[in-house]
């Protein structure tokens, strides 16, 4: 390995933290910044009762499950089916929908009472005001070009609704909400009492963070937004390229360069 991997000094870590802080403010101000700061127009609620189709696609696997939410008590996961993300190599968008729907159709407890989909989509995507999301780019070794700059949720929901074996069970989905995995972690943390601040943190195939930020801090916020005061924001912090302090030199070790996809 050409560059020796060494521990960061406190001074260097402080400089990187300040660099990240500046870039977060930049990302909250305008689109296309190094730290994207993608607002998510979904807020968690506690008044829902019923069954939901929950989908999760990260860097390793696609998972599908029917989850029962009750007024009191924790959600109950009925059954989970898993598909390796490696199988998505060379796929088109339609190929991906087909493989995902094949897996979803295997859920025996999927019936006409399940009309909502919650989709944890662990790739950079810009949320839309109706709760869907537009894919910005692929990471983690996945590359399906015809899906970039297009909606993530609605095409999948439409495909599921037209799938023969699912239609035969009289299942019809009315709505789909798409969130990033960091937002999912953030929402889970909000259930814990006794804390006044939270972040959603992912350290896995990649690393990323999310936070709840007041709308007054999000300069680029859509003028059409008419929701709550506090908005969950997917920072896409894994895209940080911290400077060493030397002109045009970025602190990325050889290991960073290998995993920074």
């Amino acid at each position: 390995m050409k560059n020796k991997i060494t521990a960061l000094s406190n001074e260097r870590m402080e400089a990187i933290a300040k660099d990240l802080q500046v870039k977060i403010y930049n990302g909250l101000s305008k689109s296309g910044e190094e730290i994207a700061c993608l607002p998510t127009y979904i807020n968690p609620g506690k008044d829902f009762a019923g069954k939901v189709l929950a989908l999760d696609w990260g860097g390793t696997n696609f998972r599908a499950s029917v989850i029962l939410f009750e007024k009191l008590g924790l959600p109950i996961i009925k059954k989970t089916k898993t598909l390796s993300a490696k199988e998505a190599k060379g796929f088109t968008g339609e190929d991906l929908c087909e493989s995902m729907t094949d897996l979803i159709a295997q859920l025996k407890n999927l019936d006409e009472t399940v009309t909502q989909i919650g989709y944890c989509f662990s790739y950079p995507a810009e949320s839309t005001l109706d709760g869907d999301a537009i894919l910005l780019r692929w990471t983690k070794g996945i590359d399906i070009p015809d899906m970039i700059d297009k909606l993530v949720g609605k095409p999948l929901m439409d495909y599921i609704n037209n799938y023969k074996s699912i239609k035969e069970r009289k299942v019809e989905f009315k709505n789909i909400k798409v969130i990033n995995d960091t937002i999912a972690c953030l929402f889970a943390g909000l259930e814990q009492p006794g804390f006044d601040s939270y972040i959603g943190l992912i350290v896995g195939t990649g690393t990323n963070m999310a936070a709840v930020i007041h709308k007054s801090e999000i300069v680029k916020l859509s003028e059409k937004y008419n929701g709550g005061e506090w908005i969950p924001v997917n920072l896409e912090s894994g895209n940080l390229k911290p400077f060493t302090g030397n002109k045009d030199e970025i602190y990325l070790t050889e290991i960073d360069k290998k995993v920074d996809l």
Side-chain angles (χ1 to χ4, degrees), residues 144-164:
I144 307 175
D146 68 330
M147 290 183 64
I148 295 174
D149 295 328
K150 295 180 181 178
L151 288 173
V152 171
K154 188 177 185 302
L156 177 59
M157 183 177 71
D158 291 344
Y159 195 96
I160 296 169
N161 281 337
N162 286 291
Y163 196 76
K164 185 174 183 292

Side-chain angles (χ1 to χ4, degrees), residues 178-192:
V178 181
I179 61 173
N180 185 263
D181 52 353
T182 56
I183 301 294
C185 287
L186 179 66
F187 286 172
L190 295 176
E191 288 290 323
Q192 304 301 314

Side-chain angles (χ1 to χ4, degrees), residues 249-261:
E249 184 180 358
I250 295 175
Y251 187 88
L252 290 178
T253 67
E254 292 302 308
I255 290 176
D256 294 320
K257 293 172 184 176
K258 288 181 181 295
V259 301
D260 188 27
L261 301 176

Side-chain angles (χ1 to χ4, degrees), residues 102-260:
D102 283 345
L103 187 77
I104 292 165
Q106 296 175 35
L107 294 169
K108 298 187 183 301
N109 53 355
L110 184 64
D111 57 40
E112 69 274 10
T113 66
V114 188
T115 61
Q116 308 290 321
I117 302 175
Y119 189 5
C120 181
F121 183 77
S122 306
Y123 301 90
E126 182 176 355
S127 293
T128 60
L129 290 171
D130 62 357
D132 206 330
I134 297 171
L135 176 63
L136 298 178
R137 67 182 185 277
W138 291 108
T139 57
K140 309 171 189 177
I142 302 298
D143 185 22
I144 307 175
D146 68 330
M147 290 183 64
I148 295 174
D149 295 328
K150 295 180 181 178
L151 288 173
V152 171
K154 188 177 185 302
L156 177 59
M157 183 177 71
D158 291 344
Y159 195 96
I160 296 169
N161 281 337
N162 286 291
Y163 196 76
K164 185 174 183 292
S165 65
I166 291 179
K167 288 180 70 174
E168 289 172 348
R169 290 149 73 174
K170 298 183 179 179
V171 176
E172 183 178 3
F173 292 101
K174 307 293 187 182
N175 192 19
I176 185 167
K177 301 295 185 184
V178 181
I179 61 173
N180 185 263
D181 52 353
T182 56
I183 301 294
C185 287
L186 179 66
F187 286 172
L190 295 176
E191 288 290 323
Q192 304 301 314
F195 300 92
D196 58 7
S197 59
Y198 298 84
I199 61 170
L201 173 65
I202 291 292
V203 181
T205 312
T207 180
N208 191 14
M209 290 186 288
V212 177
I213 298 175
H214 194 272
K215 67 178 184 180
S216 63
E217 299 288 337
I218 309 174
V219 178
K220 66 179 182 182
L221 193 64
S222 170
E223 294 180 356
K224 296 180 181 179
Y225 176 74
N226 60 359
E229 296 286 309
W230 295 92
I231 300 174
V233 178
N234 166 22
L235 300 181
E236 287 297 327
S237 57
N239 198 44
L240 176 68
K241 296 175 175 59
F243 289 97
T244 64
N246 299 323
K247 184 179 180 181
D248 298 329
E249 184 180 358
I250 295 175
Y251 187 88
L252 290 178
T253 67
E254 292 302 308
I255 290 176
D256 294 320
K257 293 172 184 176
K258 288 181 181 295
V259 301
D260 188 27

